[in-house]
């Protein structure tokens, strides 16, 4: 009798917990995205959209130095947006005649269709379509890329090497910390769970919040360059825009694509005739030192010029004399001059 009463009370308790949890979970899943900060709102307001196969792609296009023929296109990393470049934007306009950046499909203010097969190939085609939209398809382009953008740049470089008509002409390429070698790439635990979680992935994307995001992303930065809380909120606002948190697992398939197409993309770097520069922060936990640089040094057929700057506050893009401010130590590798 006592046992039955105890079981009955336990069942009643779990029913009450369930009745309370259901509305709380529903409310949690419908928390609206954070409002855009004044700076992020200004970034969106000053940008434009173009249409690629029925999808809206956000981009920035600023006219800089008058009389200069130089054009630079900026390719951002995962999981953020073109807003990554805002701190150096003005400096770039003092060096280049045109400074262009876009939010890749699934990122920032661009459309985030679901379900959708996101791929590096499609992102590269979007970059080409943007330059056609701007009437720059016949101009020589300097590329500056980071992380996810590095792989897009590798695909663009491969297409350029194939001399395919309609492809953009690359004048120089500057890569920065990114997993260009899948064998040295160390994804974060959350990235592994999302890209390989199967039926669990959609649940994780819905449960993800600012706390999980910020705690997962912050360790990727160097100890002297970690973003402020307001900057992390800007990143999170960009992700939550258009329910972007729900496509993160689909976007993360780029990690598997890097493995599948390694020969194509690493091979594109191995026989280049254009200036290529690599900016590398050795404290990167995702592309660890020294394994990453050792593999990089074995990739190109041309001799390498290695410049290590343990306390430098300058990073130089040799191909275009571009100087980027920096707070972290880094190794800079230049080849193909």
């Amino acid at each position: 009798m006592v046992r039955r009463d105890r079981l009955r009370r336990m069942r009643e308790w779990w029913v009450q917990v369930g009745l309370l949890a259901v509305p709380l979970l529903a409310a949690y899943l419908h928390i609206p995205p954070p409002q855009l900060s004044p700076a992020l709102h200004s970034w969106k307001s000053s940008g434009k959209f173009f249409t690629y196969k029925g999808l809206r792609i956000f981009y920035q296009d600023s006219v800089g130095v008058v009389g200069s023929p130089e054009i630079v296109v900026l390719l951002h990393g995962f999981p953020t947006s073109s807003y990554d470049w805002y701190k150096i934007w003005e400096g770039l306009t003092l060096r280049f005649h045109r400074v262009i950046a876009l939010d890749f499909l699934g990122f920032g203010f661009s459309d985030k269709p679901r379900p959708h097969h996101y791929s590096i190939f499609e992102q590269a085609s979007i970059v080409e379509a943007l330059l056609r939209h701007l009437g720059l398809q016949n101009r020589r382009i300097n590329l500056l890329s980071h992380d996810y953008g590095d792989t897009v740049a590798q695909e663009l470089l491969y297409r350029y090497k194939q001399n395919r008509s309609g492809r953009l002409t690359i004048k120089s390429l500057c890569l920065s910390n990114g997993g260009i070698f899948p064998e040295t790439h160390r994804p974060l635990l959350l990235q592994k769970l999302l890209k390989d979680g199967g039926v669990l992935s959609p649940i994780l994307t819905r449960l993800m919040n600012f706390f999980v995001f910020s705690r997962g992303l912050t360790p990727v930065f160097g100890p002297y360059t970690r973003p402020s809380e307001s900057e992390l909120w800007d990143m999170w606002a960009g992700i939550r825009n258009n329910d972007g948190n729900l496509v993160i697992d689909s976007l993360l398939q780029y990690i598997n694509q890097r493995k599948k197409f390694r020969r194509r993309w690493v091979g594109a770097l191995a026989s280049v005739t254009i200036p290529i520069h690599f900016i590398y922060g050795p404290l990167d936990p995702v592309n660890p030192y020294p394994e990453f640089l050792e593999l990089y040094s074995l990739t190109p057929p041309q001799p390498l010029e290695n410049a290590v700057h343990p306390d430098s506050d300058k990073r130089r893009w040799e191909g275009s004399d571009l100087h980027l401010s920096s707070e972290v130590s880094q190794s800079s590798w230049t080849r193909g001059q």
Side-chain angles (χ1 to χ4, degrees), residues 165-294:
S165 60
R167 305 306 187 189
L168 64 87
T169 301
I170 302 174
K171 181 178 182 180
S172 67
L173 171 61
C174 181
L175 305 157
S176 61
N177 285 59
I180 61 176
F181 304 113
E183 56 267 52
T184 62
H185 186 244
R186 304 288 183 268
L188 302 175
L189 175 60
L190 184 59
Q191 290 179 317
K192 293 178 181 178
L193 291 174
L194 288 172
K195 79 179 181 70
D196 298 323
V199 295
L200 188 62
S201 297
I203 299 173
L204 292 174
T205 58
R206 288 188 176 274
L207 295 178
M208 186 181 299
N209 56 31
F210 173 75
F211 177 82
V212 174
F213 164 74
S214 60
R215 295 304 181 275
L217 186 66
T218 299
V220 173
F221 291 82
Y224 309 112
T225 57
R226 291 185 173 176
S228 65
E229 185 166 344
S230 63
E231 289 172 327
L232 286 167
W233 272 109
D234 281 339
M235 296 177 192
W236 180 239
I239 292 171
R240 284 296 315 275
N241 183 69
N242 291 335
D243 292 327
N245 55 303
L246 302 183
V247 303
I248 285 181
D249 55 331
S250 299
L251 291 171
L252 275 167
Q253 296 310 307
Y254 80 90
I255 296 176
N256 296 328
Q257 291 168 24
R258 281 174 171 170
K259 295 177 180 178
K260 183 176 181 179
F261 298 102
R262 183 196 187 280
R263 178 176 298 181
R264 177 186 180 104
W265 292 334
V266 175
L269 294 172
S271 57
V272 294
T273 57
I274 62 169
I276 291 190
H277 193 65
F278 196 93
I279 300 171
Y280 176 70
L283 297 180
D284 184 352
V286 180
N287 302 285
Y289 177 87
E291 296 95 324
F292 179 87
L293 284 185
E294 288 174 352

Side-chain angles (χ1 to χ4, degrees), residues 10 67 76 83 92 141 191 208 245 261 272 310-311 314-315 321 324:
M10 287 183 63
H76 68 79
Y83 190 62
L92 292 172
I141 305 297
Q191 290 179 317
M208 186 181 299
N245 55 303
F261 298 102
V272 294
D311 298 304
K314 297 289 185 183
R315 291 174 173 175
D321 291 332
L324 304 180

Side-chain angles (χ1 to χ4, degrees), residues 35-42 83 230 234 237:
Q35 290 189 340
L36 303 185
S37 68
L40 190 56
H41 184 271
S42 175
Y83 190 62
S230 63
D234 281 339

Side-chain angles (χ1 to χ4, degrees), residues 17 27 34 61 102 106 170 203 205 212 233 260 302 308 322 330 332:
V17 169
D61 178 16
L102 77 159
I170 302 174
I203 299 173
T205 58
V212 174
W233 272 109
K260 183 176 181 179
Q302 298 94 345
V308 180
L322 169 66
Q330 78 279 341
S332 297

Side-chain angles (χ1 to χ4, degrees), residues 2 33 85 96 114 132 147 169 182 194 216 222 247 285 302:
V2 174
W85 307 105
F96 294 92
R114 66 180 198 277
R132 287 195 299 271
D147 185 52
T169 301
L194 288 172
V247 303
Q302 298 94 345

